[in-house]
Amino acid sequence: MMKKRTDLKTIILGIILIAVLAVISVGLEGVAKNVKGLSIMMAVMKKGTVYALLAVSMNLLNGFTGLFSLGQAGFMLVGAYTYAILSIPVAKRAGVYQYYDGGIVNFSVPEIFSGFLGDTLGPVIGMLLTLLICGLLAAVLGWLIGLPALRLKSDYLAIATLGFAEIMRTFIQYEAFAPLTNGSNTLRQYPTFKHLYPYVIVVGLCILFIVLLVNSTYGRAFKAIRDDEIAAEAMGIDLAKHKMLAFVTSSFFAGLGGGLMAMYMSSVQAKGFTSAMTYEILLMVVIGGIGSISGSIIAAFLFIGCSEWWLRFLDDSANNIAGMKLLAPGFRMVVFSVVIMIIVLFFRRGLMGDKELPDLFRRKGKKRGKEVVGE
């Protein structure tokens, strides 16, 4: 009974927080429109929001379950292409698939829903349903890959999942699948979320689900497997079942995140989803703290903010007050690498370790309580 009350309280607080953040995002967009030079802020916020979901989904697998997987880019690629293929308007398919007679898919999910729900609500429902399909398809692939791959451990699992990501990128660009994927050409002209608040709502609800999962009996089983597989099995935990659940869940949200990434980029091409993208997400998990959802979210925004906004003044005269380039083009990433090294050196367990933001407030409350008792 107490557990149900705790979950209900978490859901209510989570929904309230998501609503507040959505309202704040609307306000930020209004400010960005009226203040010159802040348009880049909205792009950074959108990308940071998407990467927050991707980092949390990877942390669920690597941090909470202890499975070292590097297949995130592969599942993102599946989600991104699924969203683009299923949502390109029928009238625009001939231009997008110009080398393949308009492609083999001759429908658009958002257009189907707009046909009987109207042009306002229909496309939105269609886009959300397409995102769900992105996650489900990635989850199915995760289950298929997990059947053989989850028998491996540590570095071997990482190599297997990394290989899967590279294979998916090759398959999508393979000429035989081009009528579906457009080969090595770009998929574009599909509908996207124009504002920040839909990203905040979708990502917020996904992360809320992961929080509930981590705090459930399944989450405790994940942590037990991470800490000691032999002891977990001795306590009656089905290792294969829980590993597969963690892997499929992580794949689902990676696929959904890939669909959101396709929306953010407005065009999709397989060559952009390289292993470097997975390493970036892994770096966010490490910087934020392995086993901390709050840390992954904070690290995602810090990573995207530093790499694409705050340090741009170093090698971009347009973003420099003095109107000059302090460094050669691209050298801001060198400075960014130094910043990451400093963070890793001084925060060995990441910014949050394995703690969450509420834990910090509870700790402060306990200290204040002890001080009052001492007095």
Side-chain angles (χ1 to χ4, degrees):
M1 190 69 177
M2 183 65 70
K3 180 62 178 174
K4 290 183 179 179
R5 289 179 180 176
T6 303
D7 289 344
L8 181 61
K9 181 179 178 182
T10 302
I11 292 171
I12 294 173
L13 290 176
I15 292 174
I16 292 173
L17 179 59
I18 292 168
V20 171
L21 291 175
V23 172
I24 292 174
S25 68
V26 173
L28 287 175
E29 282 191 309
V31 172
K33 288 180 180 178
N34 298 320
V35 179
K36 185 179 179 181
L38 283 185
S39 59
I40 191 174
M41 178 183 72
M42 300 315 300
V44 168
M45 293 296 291
K46 286 180 182 178
K47 190 172 183 179
T49 302
V50 176
Y51 267 90
L53 174 59
L54 295 169
V56 171
S57 69
M58 189 176 217
N59 207 347
L60 173 65
L61 194 61
N62 292 27
F64 288 98
T65 317
L67 300 175
F68 188 28
S69 171
L70 293 176
Q72 214 74 353
F75 295 115
M76 289 171 60
L77 181 62
V78 170
Y81 266 78
T82 300
Y83 180 82
I85 291 169
L86 294 181
S87 61
I88 296 174
V90 175
K92 296 180 179 179
R93 288 186 178 274
V96 176
Y97 289 89
Q98 56 183 324
Y99 303 111
Y100 307 102
D101 299 324
I104 61 175
V105 176
N106 57 3
F107 65 89
S108 169
V109 175
E111 284 186 336
I112 292 173
F113 279 85
S114 63
F116 59 87
L117 291 178
D119 293 334
T120 302
L121 181 62
V124 176
I125 299 299
M127 286 189 284
L128 292 175
L129 179 60
T130 307
L131 286 175
L132 181 61
I133 295 172
C134 295
L136 291 174
L137 183 56
V140 171
L141 280 174
W143 178 74
L144 292 173
I145 297 299
L147 288 175
L150 291 180
R151 298 175 183 272
L152 305 173
K153 294 183 179 180
S154 189
D155 299 341
Y156 299 101
L157 176 60
I159 293 170
T161 51
L162 181 62
F164 154 75
E166 293 300 316
I167 290 170
M168 286 305 306
R169 191 156 58 92
T170 303
F171 273 3
I172 284 176
Q173 296 180 94
Y174 186 46
E175 194 66 21
F177 301 117
L180 176 65
T181 65
N182 210 21
S184 58
N185 302 302
T186 303
L187 291 176
R188 60 191 188 282
Q189 298 188 16
Y190 46 80
T192 64
F193 291 144
K194 303 298 181 183
H195 302 286
L196 174 60
Y197 70 87
Y199 290 90
V200 172
I201 294 172
V202 173
V203 170
L205 290 174
C206 291
I207 292 178
L208 177 59
F209 178 87
I210 294 174
V211 169
L212 292 171
L213 178 63
V214 167
N215 291 322
S216 69
T217 54
Y218 290 106
R220 289 192 287 274
F222 294 160
K223 295 173 187 176
I225 293 172
R226 174 196 63 190
D227 295 337
D228 193 327
E229 286 192 12
I230 297 175
E233 191 172 24
M235 289 189 296
I237 295 174
D238 189 334
L239 298 184
K241 173 187 172 181
H242 286 86
K243 284 182 178 181
M244 182 62 79
L245 176 62
F247 195 75
V248 169
T249 304
S250 178
S251 302
F252 172 84
F253 288 112
L256 196 150
L260 289 172
M261 183 62 71
M263 284 187 171
Y264 166 76
M265 296 189 299
S266 298
S267 63
V268 176
Q269 197 168 17
K271 68 179 183 180
F273 291 80
T274 62
S275 55
M277 185 175 284
T278 299
Y279 300 147
E280 285 183 351
I281 300 170
L282 179 60
L283 187 57
M284 293 174 196
V285 173
V286 172
I287 291 174
I290 297 177
S292 172
I293 293 175
S294 305
S296 294
I297 297 171
I298 294 169
F301 282 99
L302 287 177
F303 186 96
I304 300 300
C306 283
S307 61
E308 301 197 9
W309 185 18
W310 300 328
L311 297 179
R312 289 179 70 92
F313 73 94
L314 293 173
D315 57 9
D316 187 352
S317 58
N319 290 277
N320 191 295
I321 297 176
M324 58 184 292
K325 290 184 179 179
L326 300 177
L327 297 172
F331 264 67
R332 73 173 182 274
M333 298 308 295
V334 176
V335 178
F336 179 53
S337 300
V338 174
V339 172
I340 291 175
M341 290 174 62
I342 293 172
I343 292 175
V344 172
L345 285 173
F346 285 93
F347 297 91
R348 298 293 179 88
R349 299 182 62 196
L351 295 174
M352 294 293 295
D354 58 354
K355 305 296 182 183
E356 304 293 348
L357 283 177
D359 296 333
L360 301 181
F361 293 113
R362 288 194 201 102
R363 188 180 300 175
K364 289 182 180 179
K366 288 180 180 180
K367 286 182 178 179
R368 289 175 183 172
K370 288 179 180 179
E371 288 175 1
V372 171
V373 172
E375 290 175 0

